[in-house]
Amino acid sequence: MIDRLTDHARRVLDLAEEEASRFRHRYVGPEHVLLGVLREGASGAAELLRARGMELEAARSGLGRLAEQGVVASPALSDAELLSMLGIDLDAVRQRTQRTFGSQAVAQATREATRARRRGVGRVAWTPLCGPPFLAKRVVGLAHRQAGAFGSVGIGPELLLLGVLDDISEPWPRCMSNRWRRRLLAYVDLPADYRGAARPLLEAFGVDRAELRDALVAQVGEVPR
Amino acid sequence: MNETVHGEVTAVAAATGSNDPEVALAAVAALRGLVEVLEALNVEHARAEGWSWEAIATRLGVTKQAVHKKYVGRRFRLGRSR
């Protein structure tokens, strides 16, 4: 799924992760993707957001207020910081492990360790080796679906923003609230009913989502395929 | 780990008191997450090198049944694409 993202969209997701750690959040959610779109800045999506009063700095302070209200997590120590308190250099461990076993094996071991298993032995909520949990997966999935609808090959920031909007409006399937997910949410200091905070963030700026979506759709329609 | 982060951490640790369970438990959880993945990778590597479950268990200090139960049937693609 990830391989259809354009370089700009990848940059948006990288910046989203940076924004998350800037806020000292232990996860990456749709709200950070919004900030990523704004920080990448060059896309039509960022243009549309700016035209609706969402500048990067203003959006950051908006998310800061949401954190104060408890809608999203308040600042917490990162895994790297926690481990450094025990005298462990996480970056060094990660580099050495990836050099020894290859990054694919590390990723696989990570999935195994965090996956719900029958007997539940040696299962952890998360491991510091693979960065913060990416809780905006559905955003990327919905962007992918829209790309199919538009017949576009690459997924740019515009489609990512469309994914953020659809993620807000689409009802969440029941299976998205299982024990494993609830435990992960608690682990990264989020309330159990967390569904992404892009909605309150957009609402704080009085953004009309339906109108923004129409503008985006018009723009994506013009992009050469 | 750069200097600034280190400085921040000491500041936070000092502010919360190094014995704050909130921080200490979170650190332990992070450590466990690290250990689980390292153990899985190294057990898999040892198996690939032809180690027996018993030998692996001896080194890990657990029973061979424990290691076997936990890791049998797993296959990581070790060493490919780095």
Side-chain angles (χ1 to χ4, degrees):
Chain A
M1 200 157 75
I2 222 99
D3 47 331
R4 280 180 70 179
L5 296 180
T6 64
D7 289 345
H8 286 292
R10 278 165 208 253
R11 174 113 183 97
V12 166
L13 293 185
D14 285 346
L15 291 172
E17 192 175 325
E18 271 180 38
E19 285 299 315
S21 73
R22 217 184 108 92
F23 277 91
R24 312 186 67 78
H25 286 158
R26 289 155 58 82
Y27 67 99
V28 180
E31 58 273 27
H32 304 116
V33 176
L34 268 184
L35 292 182
V37 167
L38 286 169
R39 206 171 132 189
E40 199 271 332
S43 64
E47 196 58 51
L48 288 175
L49 285 173
R50 280 196 295 265
R52 282 154 187 78
M54 267 184 102
E55 298 282 343
L56 176 59
E57 276 309 320
R60 275 177 180 159
S61 32
L63 186 56
R65 278 192 297 277
L66 289 180
E68 280 164 26
Q69 291 161 14
V71 179
V72 295
S74 41
L77 289 173
S78 72
D79 284 332
E81 291 163 346
L82 289 167
L83 289 172
S84 85
M85 287 171 55
L86 298 173
I88 295 167
D89 185 345
L90 177 58
D91 282 339
V93 176
R94 184 187 292 129
Q95 278 168 21
R96 217 161 293 165
T97 312
Q98 290 189 342
R99 218 171 28 234
T100 315
F101 299 106
S103 53
Q104 205 180 351
V106 174
Q108 256 180 316
T110 298
R111 257 195 311 281
E112 277 289 333
T114 55
R115 203 179 67 177
R117 277 198 305 276
R118 254 171 309 159
R119 295 195 183 92
V121 275
R123 196 168 64 195
V124 287
W126 200 250
T127 164
L129 274 176
C130 57
F134 185 68
L135 301 181
K137 234 173 258 176
R138 202 169 77 133
V139 167
V140 181
L142 290 170
H144 197 264
R145 195 179 74 182
Q146 289 298 344
F150 283 107
S152 56
V153 180
I155 296 173
E158 291 78 16
L159 282 170
L160 274 186
L161 182 55
L162 211 50
V164 171
L165 294 175
D166 286 352
D167 184 48
I168 294 171
S169 53
E170 290 256 326
W172 280 64
R174 284 260 303 276
C175 61
M176 289 305 283
S177 175
N178 54 35
R179 201 163 50 160
W180 183 86
R181 190 182 161 85
R182 280 197 298 275
R183 192 173 61 152
L184 180 62
L185 288 177
Y187 185 68
V188 296
D189 308 315
L190 283 171
D193 59 353
Y194 171 81
R195 295 283 182 273
R199 179 190 204 140
L201 188 56
L202 286 168
E203 276 168 1
F205 286 86
V207 175
D208 180 351
R209 288 198 305 273
E211 183 262 337
L212 173 58
R213 193 173 189 286
D214 290 343
L216 261 176
V217 167
Q219 203 171 60
V220 177
E222 284 168 18
V223 171
R225 285 154 204 175
Chain B
M1 178 74 29
N2 56 39
E3 288 304 313
T4 48
V5 174
H6 236 102
E8 261 178 59
V9 177
T10 13
V12 176
T16 52
S18 53
N19 245 349
D20 181 6
E22 172 88 24
V23 176
L25 291 174
V28 170
L31 189 58
R32 181 179 299 143
L34 207 56
V35 166
E36 280 301 328
V37 173
L38 291 181
E39 184 185 278
L41 283 166
N42 282 298
V43 168
E44 180 67 23
H45 179 62
R47 287 295 292 171
E49 296 272 293
W51 281 50
S52 67
W53 289 112
E54 190 153 18
I56 295 171
T58 311
R59 280 296 118 239
L60 284 177
V62 296
T63 64
K64 70 173 180 195
Q65 285 86 355
V67 192
H68 187 264
K69 178 176 158 185
K70 194 164 165 186
Y71 291 108
V72 72
R74 292 204 198 176
R75 284 287 171 273
F76 303 140
R77 270 161 283 171
L78 287 173
R80 279 203 217 153
S81 98
R82 33 195 81 200

